[in-house]
Amino acid sequence: MATDPMTPLLDRKLVFVTGKGGTGKTTVASALALLAAAQGKRVLICEVDGKGELAGYYEAPPMAFKEKEVQPGLFAMTMDTEASLREYLKLQLHIPIVGRIGPVAKAFDFLAAAAPGVREILTVGKLCFEVRDNKWDMVVVDAPATGHIVGQLAAPQAVNGLVRVGLIRNQTDWMLEMLSDPAITGLLAVCTPEEMPVSETIELATRVREETTVELAGVVVNRVLPELFGRNEEAVFDALAAPGPLEELDGLIGGDAGPVLEAARLAVTMRRTRSTHLERLREGIDPDVPLLYLPYLFTKSHGLRTTRQVAGSLGEELGL
Amino acid sequence: MAARPSGAKKDKAADAPAPTMDSLLATKEIVVACGPGGVGKTTTAAASALMAAINHGSKVLVLTVDPAKRLANALGLDGIGNTEHKVPASAFEAAGVRPRGELWAAMLDTKESWDSLIRQHAPDEQTRDEILANPLYQNIAGRFIQSHDYIAMERLYEIHSAGEYDLIVVDTPPTRNALDFLDAPERLADFFSSRLLRWLIVPYRSKLINVATKPFYQISDRILGTEFMGDISEFFILFQTMYDGFVERSKAVGRLLSDRRTTFVVVSTLEATPLREAEFFAEQLTERKLHLGAIVLNKVLPDYLQGRDGAKVAETLKDRAEDLAAELSPVLGSADTELGDPAQIARVLTEVADSYLNFQVVALCEMEERASLAVVPDVLATVPFFDTDIYDLAGLLRLGEQIWG
């Protein structure tokens, strides 16, 4: 398997995007979907466990379980496991009492509260159905954060282990097949070059390999600071920031250059601290897994404008 | 850094000294650090506990959920497990401080905490063993997402009621929704008293006779299979024996959170998304009549990035880079040495200026966010951006001194 080249990210049909809180998981998911749509694909993006933020990334009105077009060729929906159960019962099982909402809602409450893995199965199941239906070239999932994604992706096995017969059991087999096929499904992990996000990503990579059948398709390193100086330039900077030359500079411009040089010093140290974490990430992740670097955006940080900028950088990293 | 009284209380508080993090940690017994992910909750909790141990001569425990490895090591937490460890004197010596009190640390082990809860509440040994061995239980304790939230608060209650510490600072688990852990005790009580659960523990045959519940069982059976439904029933029949103990306990946990001795510290950065979440959280605390003690804003860019003067200097450096470089060249060396190369000096000046202007955009956004903060707590602490990671007591101390105010 190691000798096979990995399926390129945009050629996969089902991509789960995860990441530690605060690393920009939703930003990357929304940008990836936008990029794929710009490539002429018909794309569905689904927010799972979201707080309704995804809509803002496309300047779109609040989203629902039923998908809506938010950009040309790009449709967005938000996961609702109860609606997913109802749809499943109706389309797949032809359960006669559908229509009477009461029992369904109660059954759902019970299933979700008491039977582990069922909520996750209804989520993964809905996404797999969307892929199987061939309505989309790509389904992008703004998935749960790193702490919860493994439970989500491992749900079909967990349910297989607990439930030996029944309709759910019949469904998990083909879902597993789809999730296990690296030509179809992939996981994209988002992190920033900081201590905890890098540690969590390395740990995630191990858990995904050991506990799920899904392939880690790539790691996005978000908010990478630009390199300010080449080696010689840094020596010049250090000389410039020494008391004598700095005074000279202050005199030349008739102002205080101190804060400006101080800010550059901060930027250099920040980048240096971060680069040690980047090295740790590169060493901790399977060398076949591509790392995609996205620059720190020094602009206002939300809305479609940002999504477009990130999509642009992501496209460059993917060689488009 | 700056403590200021909230607007509404300004008149009343005029005589009394403004509360600070110092006074908050001196008077409360429980401090719950909460907020969105990735904002430095764990380090803030640890730094607060450290400052209290150093300054107040009290016995302080920091209960953390998932510390960075290097930080865990610094606190003497090298394995997993619920045991409380005393932070060794050598760690304080290395940081160059002498604590008046003691600092203890413990990590939260969800599985172990659930097991001990079962041991405590099971009516007899046989029930205990059957529950602990039940595959559904293992799934619930290990994977059930809500169980994480509940167990953190449960552990807090257990430690507090043992009466071993003057102050417990707890770092909350990363939840899907920052509020989950507040609702967890009540949700667990609700679950145990739900009609659904009562249906489940009715012997299987009589379920199919009851007209009202029959459709529910038909659906569940078809989806999950009769056998699995049987497993679930069995598990909850066992669990039911612990009902009273669990419900009583979760109510006690809820009471502890709203006790006057408990306060909440909301941690955030000044980035828009986490800050909105933190604000929402602070509002919810007030709505639930829980005590919002402080808001700690982490990783705030330095003030010198905000000034108009700095921007003017940066513009000048860019505009006049070449002639400045020519003037500076003899100061730094000569035109044919590496340091004195005017073209290189001009490039450095331009880079430096661009970098300043870039960061200024971010700093101004942060300033704007802080000014528009919808909730004004008694204590608002601002912690500057540290250019290196915090992984030892000395680092926590630097952070703590900023929070202290």
Side-chain angles (χ1 to χ4, degrees):
Chain A
M1 201 173 86
T3 53
D4 290 347
M6 265 193 158
T7 306
L9 190 62
L10 285 180
D11 290 352
R12 304 196 193 221
K13 286 190 159 293
L14 179 57
V15 177
F16 292 85
V17 183
T18 186
K20 179 175 159 59
T23 56
K25 166 176 75 76
T26 305
T27 307
V28 171
S30 58
L32 175 65
L34 191 64
L35 177 67
Q39 297 287 309
K41 291 181 190 291
R42 195 176 157 81
V43 183
L44 174 69
I45 181 164
C46 175
E47 179 178 40
V48 173
D49 286 328
K51 296 154 201 147
E53 290 158 6
L54 182 60
Y57 289 74
Y58 299 116
E59 311 291 349
M63 294 176 322
F65 185 67
K66 178 89 186 84
E67 75 273 7
K68 262 190 289 204
E69 192 164 15
V70 290
Q71 286 289 310
L74 172 56
F75 293 74
M77 65 168 283
T78 181
M79 183 55 69
D80 171 347
T81 35
E82 188 178 332
S84 167
L85 176 65
R86 202 171 291 143
E87 184 181 85
Y88 169 73
L89 293 174
K90 192 165 112 197
L91 296 177
Q92 310 297 325
L93 303 184
H94 310 291
I95 285 194
I97 51 167
V98 157
R100 286 170 58 187
I101 301 303
V104 175
K106 276 182 196 147
F108 171 75
D109 281 346
F110 156 69
L111 290 170
V118 170
R119 194 185 281 273
E120 284 81 3
I121 270 288
L122 287 168
T123 298
V124 173
K126 164 73 178 170
L127 298 166
C128 289
F129 276 124
E130 291 295 329
V131 173
R132 195 170 71 164
D133 265 9
N134 263 327
K135 276 196 296 186
W136 315 104
D137 297 311
M138 187 181 197
V139 174
V140 175
V141 189
D142 180 14
T146 30
H148 302 295
I149 185 71
V150 173
Q152 179 101 72
L153 297 177
Q157 290 112 294
V159 169
N160 260 358
L162 288 169
V163 187
R164 287 161 290 271
V165 291
L167 287 165
I168 280 251
R169 175 65 203 249
N170 302 341
Q171 299 294 332
T172 51
D173 289 337
W174 71 264
M175 284 183 203
L176 262 176
E177 205 172 297
M178 183 179 277
L179 294 175
S180 313
D181 186 347
I184 298 177
T185 306
L187 175 68
L188 187 65
V190 182
C191 74
T192 50
E194 296 167 289
E195 180 169 25
M196 279 301 272
V198 164
S199 300
E200 265 193 33
T201 305
I202 294 172
E203 191 187 328
L204 173 76
T206 312
R207 289 194 62 198
V208 165
R209 194 170 55 239
E210 287 170 1
E211 297 173 39
T212 80
T213 57
V214 179
E215 183 178 70
L216 183 61
V219 174
V220 170
V221 186
N222 199 10
R223 301 198 193 133
V224 176
L225 289 169
E227 177 99 76
L228 268 194
F229 304 128
R231 184 175 300 177
N232 291 339
E233 288 178 0
E234 193 166 348
V236 172
F237 172 75
D238 287 338
L240 203 56
L246 180 56
E247 217 172 285
E248 184 79 26
L249 179 58
D250 285 351
L252 285 170
I253 58 171
D256 181 8
V260 178
L261 296 191
E262 194 57 41
R265 175 86 66 205
L266 178 72
V268 168
T269 326
M270 261 162 80
R271 189 183 148 94
R272 195 161 296 150
T273 306
R274 288 168 172 229
S275 68
T276 63
H277 295 304
L278 275 182
E279 279 164 34
R280 202 157 52 86
L281 180 69
R282 185 66 280 180
E283 280 163 23
I285 301 280
D286 185 335
D288 292 338
V289 176
L291 298 192
L292 307 164
Y293 299 95
L294 299 181
Y296 189 100
L297 292 180
F298 292 100
T299 51
K300 291 165 197 103
S301 64
H302 37 253
L304 182 58
R305 171 79 185 132
T306 304
T307 311
R308 278 201 198 292
Q309 282 175 320
V310 176
S313 308
L314 196 58
E316 280 172 32
E317 279 293 286
L318 290 169
L320 300 174
Chain B
M1 213 174 349
R4 51 175 162 144
S6 62
K9 289 186 196 160
K10 224 168 213 163
D11 300 333
K12 263 195 296 173
D15 310 329
T20 58
M21 207 63 178
D22 183 345
S23 63
L24 197 65
L25 292 171
T27 51
K28 297 294 178 182
E29 284 181 23
I30 292 177
V31 174
V32 184
C34 48
V39 297
K41 270 196 301 263
T42 307
T43 42
T44 302
S48 306
L50 174 68
M51 292 305 285
I54 290 176
N55 294 298
H56 293 155
S58 41
K59 187 174 175 189
V60 186
L61 174 75
V62 56
L63 177 62
T64 86
V65 178
D66 189 16
K69 205 157 181 299
R70 291 191 294 170
L71 182 62
N73 290 344
L75 294 171
L77 299 168
D78 20 32
I80 50 158
N82 272 334
T83 340
E84 296 142 36
H85 296 271
K86 188 176 171 182
V87 176
S90 57
F92 281 98
E93 274 163 33
V97 278
R98 209 187 208 149
R100 289 177 54 209
E102 293 175 11
L103 179 62
W104 290 67
M107 221 146 96
L108 182 77
D109 182 334
T110 312
K111 178 70 168 62
E112 198 186 304
S113 301
W114 270 107
D115 288 357
S116 97
L117 202 58
I118 300 291
R119 282 191 210 104
Q120 210 171 330
H121 291 297
D124 52 65
E125 283 182 17
Q126 194 195 337
T127 313
R128 182 196 66 197
D129 295 343
E130 277 176 27
I131 291 176
L132 291 178
N134 189 298
L136 267 178
Y137 165 71
Q138 299 195 345
N139 234 301
I140 286 179
R143 209 172 289 155
F144 213 9
I145 287 149
Q146 292 170 3
S147 75
H148 230 79
D149 314 337
Y150 176 69
I151 211 70
M153 295 302 109
E154 158 67 37
R155 263 295 277 165
L156 174 65
Y157 175 81
E158 192 179 305
I159 294 172
H160 181 257
S161 47
E164 290 283 329
Y165 299 95
D166 299 304
L167 173 70
I168 303 168
V169 183
V170 58
D171 156 36
T172 52
T175 50
R176 298 186 174 204
N177 179 330
L179 288 167
D180 280 353
F181 76 91
L182 284 183
D183 296 328
E186 199 183 328
R187 223 173 20 217
L188 197 79
D190 281 356
F191 178 66
F192 272 106
S193 43
S194 70
R195 223 162 28 137
L196 221 44
L197 194 59
R198 266 180 282 144
W199 285 352
L200 261 178
I201 58 176
V202 169
Y204 193 74
R205 209 174 321 154
S206 62
K207 289 171 185 170
L208 294 178
I209 298 164
N210 185 322
V211 179
T213 60
K214 196 173 162 187
F216 161 71
Y217 287 108
Q218 281 182 331
I219 295 180
S220 310
D221 266 12
R222 287 199 58 188
I223 295 174
L224 292 171
T226 307
E227 195 186 350
F228 184 53
M229 286 295 290
D231 286 353
I232 292 177
S233 277
E234 191 198 337
F235 172 67
F236 284 106
I237 288 167
L238 284 170
F239 227 61
Q240 191 70 2
T241 60
M242 303 188 300
Y243 171 81
D244 290 338
F246 257 85
V247 170
E248 202 181 293
R249 188 65 176 250
S250 58
K251 282 183 180 153
V253 173
R255 276 198 304 275
L256 179 64
L257 291 181
S258 51
D259 195 286
R260 299 175 76 97
R261 292 171 295 173
T262 302
T263 190
F264 290 80
V265 171
V266 177
V267 186
S268 182
T269 62
L270 280 172
E271 280 172 90
T273 312
L275 193 64
R276 287 292 92 72
E277 208 178 312
E279 238 172 15
F280 174 72
F281 190 75
E283 282 165 2
Q284 289 292 311
L285 287 175
T286 314
E287 207 163 279
R288 286 157 203 247
K289 301 196 168 52
L290 299 170
H291 187 259
L292 170 63
I295 294 183
V296 174
L297 298 171
N298 270 333
K299 305 184 192 176
V300 176
L301 287 173
D303 288 343
Y304 62 69
L305 282 168
Q306 292 165 5
R308 242 345 276 167
D309 292 347
K312 252 170 49 199
V313 168
E315 298 288 2
T316 310
L317 292 183
K318 269 178 76 163
D319 293 345
R320 293 175 49 199
E322 275 163 31
D323 79 70
L324 287 172
E327 300 265 9
L328 288 165
S329 169
V331 181
L332 296 177
S334 61
D336 49 4
T337 63
E338 272 188 9
L339 287 184
D341 174 11
Q344 188 158 254
I345 298 173
R347 266 202 311 277
V348 169
L349 290 174
T350 310
E351 288 279 358
V352 164
D354 277 337
S355 175
Y356 183 89
L357 294 170
N358 277 336
F359 276 102
Q360 183 166 65
V361 175
V362 183
L364 291 175
C365 286
E366 287 190 352
M367 195 169 72
E368 180 65 30
E369 290 291 348
R370 181 161 43 170
S372 63
L373 201 61
V375 183
V376 183
D378 288 346
V379 180
L380 181 67
T382 308
V383 180
F385 197 98
F386 290 123
D387 47 17
T388 50
D389 301 321
I390 292 171
Y391 54 85
D392 58 9
L393 249 44
L396 285 179
L397 198 64
R398 275 207 296 160
L399 176 67
E401 277 161 358
Q402 296 293 334
I403 299 175
W404 209 239

